[in-house]
Amino acid sequence: MKRHFLLTLLACLLGVQVFALDYSNENSSYNNNYVAEWGQLKLVGNQLCSENGQPVQLRGWSTHGKQWHGSCFDGREDFEGMKKLGANIARIAMYINEGGWVDLNWIKDCVKWTNELGMYCLVDWHILTPGNPNDGSYNGAENFFRELSQWVKQSGYKNVVYEICNEPNEDTEGDIYRPNVWKQIKEYCEKILPVIANNDPGAVVLVGTPQWDKALVFPMEDPINTYGLNVLYTFHHYTCDQQQFLGILSSAAAFVPVFVSEWGLTEDQGGADGQVCEDGGDNLMKICNGENLGNQKISWCNWSWSPDGRSSSALNSCGNYSEGNLRQSGKYILKQLRKGDNFLSSSSSPYQNSPQVIKETEDSYIALEKYDEDGQNKAFFEYDDKGWLFDINGTCNAGGEARKDECVDLGTTGKEEPFYYNLGYVVAGEWVKYTVNVEKEGIYEFETYTNNHIDNNVFGICVDGESAIVDENGNDTYKALKLRTSGNGDANDGYGEWGWTTPYSQHKDGKFYIRFKKAGIQTLGISFMSSCAGLGSLKFKALNPTNNISVKSDVEVRVWPNPVENGNFSISLSEDAKVSIVSCQGVCVFDKNIEKGENSINASFPAGVYMLSVKTENSSVVKKLIVK
Ligand code: IDC
């Protein structure tokens, strides 16, 4: 007993000593072992979370290419330097072409080093030119991810995040919406995701989006098969010349999980002109810290951890990672990292304190000028907002008389209240919120008031920060729809007559509905995923009990015997699901995709109390499992 006490005392003293030696910088996060604390990350809804379900935000740097600046990231001490500055993740940009450095052993070292340091490691298959991930020069992808994921799972590393393709960009259409690029990405996912899912089923995987990782509308409109993996979609941002895309991130955060796996404080050449744009950085940081339509805490990696000649680089030289050796970009990031968890909320209040009512027995309409109060990032995202300093249209409040002091794009329809105002001149990525009071929960038929200028514009509708669009089976697979033209002739203003239309999906036939999961006060968000010439109102039809759609129910789970006595138990599921079993200490002892029906499971893990969770695309059920 006494000996034990002395040893502990000695250990504590030594610990303090080590602490004092290593702790030369003020950043208190240096001693955090994020991986031990957070474990294997996973998604809960759209939010990246720790193993036990707490929201997390990964923040750090992306390396540059090893062929150019390798000596900043080919040793444990390099990542230790990054960690000391406050990063909890390092992205390893493994260029494939341009003299790239495809080297699994180096990647394994990076995983080991970062793991020892308690950091997450984002392994980036850095395609860039050519921009098609299926290009022959990238044929090694499948093998690379097979070997890596096998090794990761076998070695028990929990700190790996896979980024399967940086910035897909085969730009053949010259159209901002590049459907062919999304087709290429989907084809590539079909090759890579099953390989990772097979070896490392609970993995967190980042999937690229068209237009150099910007067009988040595609996973909303035309979802991929995720093979049960925790898939997030990447958004890249350069603050000097890409502010016109920020709304896309802010909007999409209500619909899909997103990850800013690369961003720089410069123009998109990485700062060839030497400029650094911190204001744009502040705008991005607000969105990542939670001021977005989905209240999502968004993880990020800054470009770049290198002493590259361009102004996006963080360092003056490799090897010295003291604050004094940081360049302007590095100093800005250090300031962000030092803020610690800096989560913001984007809650808003109802216009003039009176929520619009969605009635049970009568049709209801949303008057679009009655959007919420509290301004930019909270009640709306508007590119022409005065506080935003990025006037995309060169006009404020184009055409609108109501709420002139704000710049939300109100136009007039010339029709009666509540359709007098419309949202016109809307730019892709903008959104508005409405506090509504819903009389009864349920799935409502809805229509949109449109004119002839609406031309397949893409939009999303969310309730309390989650997609609310469901199909006739109650599934929320499709998170963006298209608006139809009213088709009603030409009016004097050339916009045509307004009329009620039903939105549609390009990828699935049938009707779509809006689901309110509960009655009472909630916020309805409308996000415009493409530029739009006028949405007049939304109509929610009276709930019709005879054709009301039933909400898809939770997966049914039966477990027996419970307590488990002889090391085996049975589970029956109403649909295919992912089953994981976690001990009270947070150790995951079982994690597999299980088919529907009856299954027998070997539970030869230590006696104790476990949480058994069953996850399908639409539901998640948790049960207590006792092993004797
Ligand atoms: C740039 C580097 C530059 C290098 C070039 C190679 O800064 O030194 O010569 O790649 O193609 C990205 C890419 C990233 C770019 C970066 C800056 O993911 O590879 O790095 N950027 O241009 N997307 C947008 C910007």
Side-chain angles (χ1 to χ4, degrees):
M1 183 68 193
K2 199 169 169 196
R3 196 160 156 247
H4 183 76
F5 172 74
L6 283 176
L7 277 177
T8 314
L9 183 70
L10 187 66
C12 285
L13 287 172
L14 280 174
V16 168
Q17 188 60 31
V18 171
F19 188 86
L21 281 178
D22 257 346
Y23 214 34
S24 47
N25 92 38
E26 341 154 3
N27 190 349
S28 63
S29 70
Y30 172 53
N31 279 340
N32 285 5
N33 186 320
Y34 293 97
V35 181
E37 197 182 320
W38 294 341
Q40 174 61 52
L41 304 181
K42 63 176 185 190
L43 287 171
V44 177
N46 291 327
Q47 180 63 53
L48 187 62
C49 286
S50 65
E51 194 162 316
N52 62 19
Q54 293 308 307
V56 299
Q57 188 187 33
L58 301 178
R59 303 179 306 176
W61 275 278
S62 171
T63 70
H64 203 282
K66 190 165 175 0
Q67 67 272 43
W68 294 299
H69 301 292
S71 55
C72 281
F73 35 90
D74 59 5
R76 186 187 186 278
E77 63 285 1
D78 300 312
F79 295 101
E80 189 171 15
M82 197 190 284
K83 173 77 187 295
K84 280 188 183 174
L85 293 168
N88 57 23
I89 185 169
R91 177 192 195 230
I92 318 296
M94 189 181 74
Y95 277 80
I96 315 305
N97 289 329
E98 304 179 71
W101 201 289
V102 182
D103 178 357
L104 185 59
N105 288 326
W106 165 54
I107 296 294
K108 287 181 180 174
D109 283 341
C110 293
V111 170
K112 281 188 218 159
W113 295 324
T114 48
N115 188 62
E116 279 167 27
L117 292 160
M119 299 169 84
Y120 288 85
C121 185
L122 173 50
V123 180
D124 161 35
W125 181 260
H126 201 85
I127 75 156
L128 191 58
T129 314
N132 181 350
N134 305 300
D135 184 87
S137 58
Y138 305 129
N139 277 351
E142 217 173 305
N143 261 336
F144 175 82
F145 285 109
R146 177 175 297 111
E147 287 177 25
L148 177 64
S149 56
Q150 219 161 37
W151 173 80
V152 165
K153 193 66 185 177
Q154 269 162 14
S155 328
Y157 287 113
K158 292 182 166 187
N159 68 324
V160 175
V161 176
Y162 304 84
E163 182 170 6
I164 63 173
C165 53
N166 175 64
E167 301 195 354
N169 66 79
E170 195 93 319
D171 182 10
T172 47
E173 300 110 288
D175 171 6
I176 189 164
Y177 295 97
R178 295 180 162 88
N180 287 344
V181 181
W182 186 240
K183 275 188 207 133
Q184 293 165 357
I185 296 168
K186 287 185 90 173
E187 182 189 333
Y188 178 71
C189 283
E190 285 297 313
K191 289 186 275 193
I192 307 297
L193 296 185
V195 167
I196 299 178
N198 193 32
N199 291 334
D200 191 1
V204 178
V205 179
L206 310 189
V207 168
T209 51
Q211 211 185 354
W212 293 270
D213 283 341
K214 280 171 199 63
L216 293 167
V217 64
F218 286 104
M220 290 170 60
E221 262 204 291
D222 182 16
I224 64 168
N225 184 349
T226 63
Y227 292 93
L229 293 161
N230 293 285
V231 170
L232 295 89
Y233 301 92
T234 50
F235 181 84
H236 285 184
H237 184 68
Y238 282 81
T239 62
C240 292
D241 59 355
Q242 296 185 338
Q243 292 217 28
Q244 68 274 31
F245 300 110
L246 268 181
I248 305 264
L249 176 66
S250 183
S251 282
F255 301 96
V256 287
V258 291
F259 198 120
V260 180
S261 62
E262 187 188 303
W263 71 280
L265 282 153
T266 63
E267 40 73 38
D268 73 350
Q269 293 306 303
D273 63 357
Q275 240 194 312
V276 169
C277 301
E278 298 194 359
D279 285 356
D282 294 349
N283 285 337
L284 175 69
M285 289 296 95
K286 272 192 199 158
I287 293 174
C288 287
N289 290 342
E291 281 197 1
N292 56 61
L293 185 56
N295 281 301
Q296 203 180 129
K297 309 330 182 234
I298 303 170
S299 297
W300 52 260
C301 295
N302 181 262
W303 186 265
S304 69
W305 182 256
S306 80
D308 189 61
R310 303 180 188 187
S311 49
S312 58
S313 60
L315 307 165
N316 279 315
S317 57
C318 300
N320 174 356
Y321 306 116
S322 66
E323 193 177 338
N325 200 35
L326 293 177
R327 303 182 65 196
Q328 186 181 349
S329 166
K331 290 205 166 86
Y332 179 90
I333 297 304
L334 178 65
K335 208 169 63 193
Q336 298 305 321
L337 295 174
R338 286 217 170 130
K339 284 183 185 161
D341 284 352
N342 183 29
F343 290 166
L344 307 168
S345 138
S346 77
S347 62
S348 54
S349 36
Y351 178 62
Q352 294 184 341
N353 258 320
S354 37
Q356 302 189 59
V357 179
I358 295 178
K359 296 172 195 140
E360 181 188 349
T361 53
E362 280 172 48
D363 292 355
S364 316
Y365 304 91
I366 300 293
L368 294 183
E369 77 281 15
K370 296 182 180 165
Y371 56 83
D372 279 0
E373 295 181 358
D374 298 331
Q376 180 80 345
N377 282 343
K378 301 201 171 193
F380 54 78
F381 182 94
E382 170 56 57
Y383 282 113
D384 305 327
D385 183 70
K386 295 185 196 94
W388 180 251
L389 300 175
F390 188 77
D391 190 343
I392 213 169
N393 279 334
T395 53
C396 176
N397 200 19
E401 283 301 311
R403 306 179 71 172
K404 261 201 265 186
D405 51 326
E406 290 171 329
C407 298
V408 172
D409 306 290
L410 292 173
T412 51
T413 60
K415 304 291 169 187
E416 284 160 35
E417 281 289 344
F419 332 120
Y420 183 68
Y421 288 100
N422 70 85
L423 289 168
Y425 312 93
V426 173
V427 175
E430 292 183 335
W431 55 260
V432 257
K433 262 194 224 163
Y434 297 88
T435 299
V436 292
N437 192 352
V438 179
E439 284 186 353
K440 187 162 194 279
E441 77 275 9
I443 291 183
Y444 286 72
E445 277 189 78
F446 83 116
E447 290 180 2
T448 43
Y449 201 45
T450 58
N451 61 34
N452 265 353
H453 267 210
I454 291 286
D455 184 18
N456 301 322
N457 299 112
V458 188
F459 73 104
I461 302 254
C462 61
V463 172
D464 289 344
E466 280 177 28
S467 185
I469 294 171
V470 295
D471 63 22
E472 66 270 9
N473 298 315
N475 286 324
D476 67 352
T477 318
Y478 296 86
K479 296 165 203 301
L481 300 176
K482 290 188 184 244
L483 291 167
R484 265 184 236 273
T485 62
S486 67
N488 288 345
D490 256 345
N492 296 339
D493 60 3
Y495 273 47
E497 272 300 312
W498 293 81
W500 289 102
T501 55
T502 47
Y504 70 101
S505 161
Q506 253 198 146
H507 304 280
K508 185 182 187 297
D509 291 338
K511 218 164 148 179
F512 291 87
Y513 302 79
I514 297 298
R515 169 177 169 182
F516 292 100
K517 288 186 188 168
K518 58 171 195 200
I521 300 288
Q522 42 214 298
T523 52
L524 177 85
I526 307 176
S527 84
F528 296 91
M529 298 306 293
S530 67
S531 299
C532 172
L535 171 67
S537 177
L538 292 181
K539 181 203 287 186
F540 293 96
K541 296 208 179 163
L543 265 189
N544 177 348
T546 55
N547 72 1
N548 200 2
I549 312 245
S550 65
V551 173
K552 198 143 204 206
S553 54
D554 280 349
V555 50
E556 282 163 40
V557 183
R558 218 157 55 82
V559 174
W560 74 96
N562 191 6
V564 182
E565 297 211 348
N566 304 319
N568 279 305
F569 70 93
S570 299
I571 183 167
S572 107
L573 301 173
S574 59
E575 50 188 309
D576 293 355
K578 189 159 164 273
V579 175
S580 52
I581 303 174
V582 178
S583 75
C584 282
Q585 290 75 38
V587 180
C588 182
V589 294
F590 183 91
D591 192 35
K592 270 198 187 123
N593 293 319
I594 304 267
E595 286 179 6
K596 74 170 180 197
E598 251 183 66
N599 296 270
S600 154
I601 290 182
N602 178 261
S604 50
F605 16 89
V609 181
Y610 293 83
M611 300 312 279
L612 178 147
S613 70
V614 179
K615 226 173 114 180
T616 66
E617 204 179 323
N618 295 301
S619 67
S620 120
V621 168
V622 178
K623 289 196 181 282
K624 198 154 123 201
L625 183 75
I626 298 170
V627 176
K628 282 205 164 161

